[in-house]
Amino acid sequence: MYLQDEHVRPDFNSCALVIVDMQNDFVLPEGTAASAEALAILPKTLVLAEGFRSLGCPIAHVIRLYRQDGSNAEGCRKTMLQSGTELVVPKTWGAQVVEGLLPDGTKVNHSELLYGEPLTISDKESILYKPSWSAFFKSQLEWRLLENLSDTVVIAGTWFPNCIRQTIYDAISLGYRPVAVRDCIAGITDKDCDDLEKVGCSVMTAAEVLAEIG
């Protein structure tokens, strides 16, 4: 269940779902950097997204795109990408959001996303590009949250040690009330959950979150 302290307790009447890096290269077995854990969280992440969508709650899909020459990559990935490995390269299969997470018929223009132009799917759902680990770093995520008056951020996706953890800590730094969805985050451990609660992040299951917003 969620934290009860009034200063960190989630407000489920003012929450948004942030789904991080659920792209083919990171999730599906054929992907360049896929993991079994990312594939395992997919079914419940699909249910979580559809639940938010059906209730009219905001959703932001925040994705990573690497130029083929690795010029916009983090330092620890530059050598790999410059050696010829392709990972979430714009306009490739690997960069696409996993099938089922976006509404049917959604068309994604990676070129526009790469230059910072968000894709608006509806007044409550969008796709954003992030140039590093955190979903908040040099993206327009905070603007989207402000537009929807969201002060609670429900976070799902892959991979916890990199992008998810940094997103959660940035959410805390920016004054949001984060909720980590335990069964919709790849690579998270029991110790990670304990550590998150100590810094004011609630840890819940997808079913618990949907029960609260529903």
Side-chain angles (χ1 to χ4, degrees):
M1 291 300 293
Y2 54 86
L3 299 174
Q4 295 296 324
D5 184 282
E6 63 176 319
H7 299 293
V8 296
R9 183 173 59 236
D11 179 359
F12 292 102
N13 293 314
S14 177
C15 68
L17 175 61
V18 177
I19 303 176
V20 182
D21 290 351
M22 290 297 284
Q23 297 160 265
N24 291 333
D25 265 346
F26 295 131
V27 177
L28 300 185
E30 304 87 349
T32 304
S35 68
E37 291 92 337
L39 185 61
I41 68 165
L42 179 58
K44 289 188 177 179
T45 306
L46 291 169
V47 172
L48 185 65
E50 185 52 41
F52 267 72
R53 190 176 294 124
S54 65
L55 291 167
C57 298
I59 304 172
H61 305 267
V62 188
I63 66 172
R64 190 67 171 103
L65 297 169
Y66 288 124
R67 298 184 189 277
Q68 199 157 12
D69 62 2
S71 58
N72 67 334
E74 297 84 2
C76 63
R77 285 183 171 166
K78 279 187 181 292
T79 298
M80 176 186 72
L81 296 173
Q82 289 174 352
S83 69
T85 300
E86 289 193 355
L87 179 62
V88 290
V89 173
K91 301 180 182 180
T92 66
W93 170 88
Q96 299 294 332
V97 174
V98 174
E99 185 176 356
L101 268 181
L102 300 177
D104 290 344
T106 301
K107 296 185 183 302
V108 181
N109 187 323
H110 286 150
S111 297
E112 291 184 0
L113 283 172
L114 193 60
Y115 285 102
E117 186 65 32
L119 169 63
T120 298
I121 300 173
S122 71
D123 61 343
K124 293 291 186 180
E125 190 165 358
S126 56
I127 305 174
L128 309 172
Y129 161 72
K130 61 183 179 69
S132 192
W133 308 122
S134 172
F136 285 96
F137 180 71
K138 293 185 178 180
S139 75
Q140 295 198 29
L141 176 58
E142 193 169 10
W143 288 109
R144 291 300 164 112
L145 296 176
L146 290 170
E147 286 175 356
N148 286 287
L149 303 178
S150 304
D151 77 346
T152 294
V153 184
V154 177
I155 299 168
T158 187
W159 172 257
F160 179 79
N162 300 345
C163 304
I164 302 298
R165 177 165 51 193
Q166 190 61 50
T167 296
I168 291 170
Y169 274 83
D170 279 357
I172 293 169
S173 297
L174 291 166
Y176 292 99
R177 299 168 185 246
V179 176
V181 188
R182 176 71 173 85
D183 50 356
C184 293
I185 294 176
I188 196 169
T189 67
D190 290 339
K191 181 181 184 304
D192 294 328
C193 293
D194 291 340
D195 290 343
L196 289 177
E197 290 183 338
K198 290 174 184 175
V199 296
C201 176
S202 296
V203 179
M204 302 174 67
T205 65
E208 288 171 340
V209 170
L210 290 174
E212 291 294 337
I213 68 170

